[in-house]
Amino acid sequence: LSLSQKHGVKMISMDHFDPEHLIIGIFEAENIEAVRDMILEAGLMAWNELKLNPLTPVADLIDNIDKAPPTIY
């Protein structure tokens, strides 16, 4: 069983940006914690700076805009 299978994470893409040595991965999972746990178990934080950012499709934002609190302006 691979780490991604164990944590229920599907890798969508993994790209390396030259020459910065920056890798950006896009993953699909039930929650951000599954991705975090997979990355931690893989030991990637030992030699990389890691940043995890959950994403929301714009269509979902638009569908739920009426649930957002009013702005303060």
Side-chain angles (χ1 to χ4, degrees):
L1 193 65
S2 72
L3 282 179
S4 61
Q5 291 171 323
K6 176 182 176 183
H7 294 283
V9 175
K10 177 183 177 186
M11 182 172 34
I12 305 299
S13 71
M14 183 78 74
D15 300 297
H16 183 266
F17 292 80
D18 300 320
E20 292 88 12
H21 194 63
L22 169 68
I23 297 173
I24 295 181
I26 299 176
F27 302 92
E28 188 175 275
E30 255 328 287
N31 53 56
I32 194 69
E33 291 81 13
V35 178
R36 179 205 58 208
D37 293 346
M38 181 191 74
I39 288 171
L40 290 174
E41 190 171 339
L44 295 177
M45 72 291 187
W47 47 274
N48 288 300
E49 177 181 339
L50 296 175
K51 183 189 278 190
L52 294 175
N53 295 302
L55 300 176
T56 301
V58 172
D60 291 352
L61 290 175
I62 292 169
D63 288 345
N64 295 301
I65 196 71
D66 58 329
K67 296 176 186 173
T71 61
I72 59 172
Y73 303 108

